[in-house]
């Protein structure tokens, strides 16, 4: 067998091995949770459930604390996303188009919140918030979650604004359009799909954020992920937690698929190289 064929075959087997490991580590736990969500009876030592059904879906959706947590999570995610867009999008445009002292250092500083253990950072912030009376408050959770959105809402829109065709902007200016008209008619429409993906990713990541909502918001603020964890930790019927997990996965998966298509493979890489 030629050497190139042997190398290709070895790579194929390596790929299959990696796929199998990923299936065991990622897919298998997801299947178990989905199975629990639709299981009514599953007793040891049975390998498969004895009875499937929607009884626990009806029971979970009938709980008032589930609907309160869902409403709170949606309100938090919407508020944080709107504030993040208001703060970060003008900054992203400045990073993409302007050259000012300390630009690169400031641009990289938005990674700071992700460069250290998150929980340790949250504990330090919680101490500050406790003195300010922001612990167990809605706006305390908004502020701590807002910090976590900075990288998405800065880096991805920077890539979007850098990808705008400058020749079209120059042609519009040559035709007599002012800077604001060029931005609204040329720059923003080209960058809008990627910015929309960044906004969507920010909304999803905020909706699913757990550590800040638990550490800063407890016990008054109970989002969907926090409620799910409390169901599991308090040994409430396991199906309740499984149902909430599935409810959280589906919108997140759909949003990530949309964002992946909108961003494309090159836009985020260009942002990293800014």
């Amino acid at each position: 067998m030629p050497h190139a064929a042997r190398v290709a075959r070895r790579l194929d087997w390596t790929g299959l091995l990696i796929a199998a490991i990923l299936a065991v580590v990622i897919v298998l736990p997801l299947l178990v949770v989905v199975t629990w969500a639709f299981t009514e009876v599953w007793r040891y030592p049975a390998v498969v459930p004895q009875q499937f059904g929607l009884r626990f879906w009806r029971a979970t959706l009938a709980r008032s604390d589930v609907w309160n947590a869902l409403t709170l999570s949606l309100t938090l995610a919407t508020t944080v996303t709107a504030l993040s867009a208001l703060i970060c999008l003008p900054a992203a445009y400045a990073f993409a188009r302007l050259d000012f002292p300390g630009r690169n250092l400031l641009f990289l500083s938005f990674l700071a919140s992700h460069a250290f253990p998150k929980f340790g950072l949250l504990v330090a912030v919680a101490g500050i918030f406790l003195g300010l009376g922001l612990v167990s408050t809605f706006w305390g959770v908004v502020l701590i979650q807002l910090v976590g959105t900075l990288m998405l809402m800065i880096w991805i829109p920077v890539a979007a604004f850098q990808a705008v065709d400058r020749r079209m902007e120059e042609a519009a200016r040559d035709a007599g359009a002012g800077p604001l008209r060029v931005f609204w008619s040329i720059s923003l429409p080209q960058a809008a799909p990627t910015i929309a993906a960044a906004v969507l990713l920010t909304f999803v990541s905020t909706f699913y954020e757990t550590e800040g909502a638990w550490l800063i918001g407890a016990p008054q603020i109970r989002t969907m992920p926090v409620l799910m964890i409390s169901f599991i930790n308090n040994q409430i019927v396991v199906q309740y937690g499984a149902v909430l997990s599935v409810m959280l996965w589906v919108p997140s998966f759909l949003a990530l698929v949309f964002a992946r298509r909108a961003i494309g493979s090159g836009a985020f890489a260009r942002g990293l190289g800014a």
Side-chain angles (χ1 to χ4, degrees):
M1 182 182 294
H3 177 69
R6 289 198 301 270
V7 171
R9 187 173 181 180
R10 190 177 300 116
L11 290 175
D12 289 340
W13 281 107
T14 302
L16 289 174
L17 179 61
I18 293 174
I21 293 173
L22 289 176
V24 172
V25 174
I26 299 176
V27 177
L28 184 59
L30 296 180
L31 289 176
V32 171
V33 173
V34 171
T35 301
W36 268 115
F38 294 94
T39 294
E40 293 188 3
V41 179
W42 193 358
R43 297 189 181 94
Y44 179 83
V47 177
V48 296
Q50 289 94 342
Q51 183 178 341
F52 290 96
L54 299 175
R55 177 162 63 92
F56 287 100
W57 279 86
R58 291 190 293 268
T60 302
L61 295 177
R63 295 177 63 105
S64 60
D65 54 354
V66 170
W67 290 105
N68 291 337
L70 177 60
T71 302
L72 179 60
S73 292
L74 291 173
T75 304
L76 272 170
T78 302
T79 303
V80 171
T81 302
L83 288 175
S84 183
L86 184 64
I87 296 169
C88 295
L89 290 181
Y93 186 83
F95 280 122
R97 295 305 182 88
L98 303 178
D99 188 11
F100 50 87
R103 172 186 175 275
N104 292 335
L105 180 62
L106 185 59
F107 187 62
L108 289 173
S109 69
F110 288 103
L111 283 176
S113 61
H114 297 268
F116 304 98
K118 185 178 180 181
F119 196 77
L121 181 63
L122 289 175
V123 170
V125 173
I128 299 173
F129 279 17
L130 185 62
L132 296 175
L134 291 173
V135 172
S136 297
T137 66
F138 176 85
W139 289 106
V141 177
V142 167
L143 289 175
I144 198 64
Q145 291 185 337
L146 188 62
V147 173
T149 68
L150 294 180
M151 189 179 76
L152 282 174
M153 288 297 286
I154 290 289
W155 282 56
I156 296 179
V158 164
F161 287 124
Q162 288 181 331
V164 172
D165 191 343
R166 299 292 185 91
R167 293 170 299 181
M168 294 181 64
E169 293 179 331
E170 293 171 358
R173 283 194 290 268
D174 290 342
L180 188 61
R181 178 65 181 275
V182 171
F183 176 79
W184 283 107
S185 301
I186 305 296
S187 307
L188 189 59
Q190 292 186 53
T194 305
I195 292 175
V199 170
L200 189 57
L201 286 172
T202 299
F203 181 89
V204 170
S205 64
T206 303
F207 183 82
Y208 206 73
E209 198 276 334
T210 305
E211 294 177 335
W214 174 75
L215 189 61
I216 304 298
Q220 300 298 325
I221 305 298
R222 301 183 73 190
T223 61
M224 283 281 282
V226 173
L227 182 63
M228 180 186 67
I229 292 174
S230 70
F231 282 174
I232 297 171
N233 289 342
N234 295 330
Q235 297 183 348
I236 297 177
V237 180
V238 67
Q239 284 91 333
Y240 287 163
V243 169
L244 289 183
S245 296
V246 174
M247 290 174 64
L248 288 169
W249 288 345
V250 172
S252 299
F253 175 77
L254 295 177
L256 289 174
V257 169
F258 171 80
R260 175 62 182 84
R261 291 190 176 188
I263 294 175
S265 59
F268 192 66
R270 286 193 296 272
L272 294 176

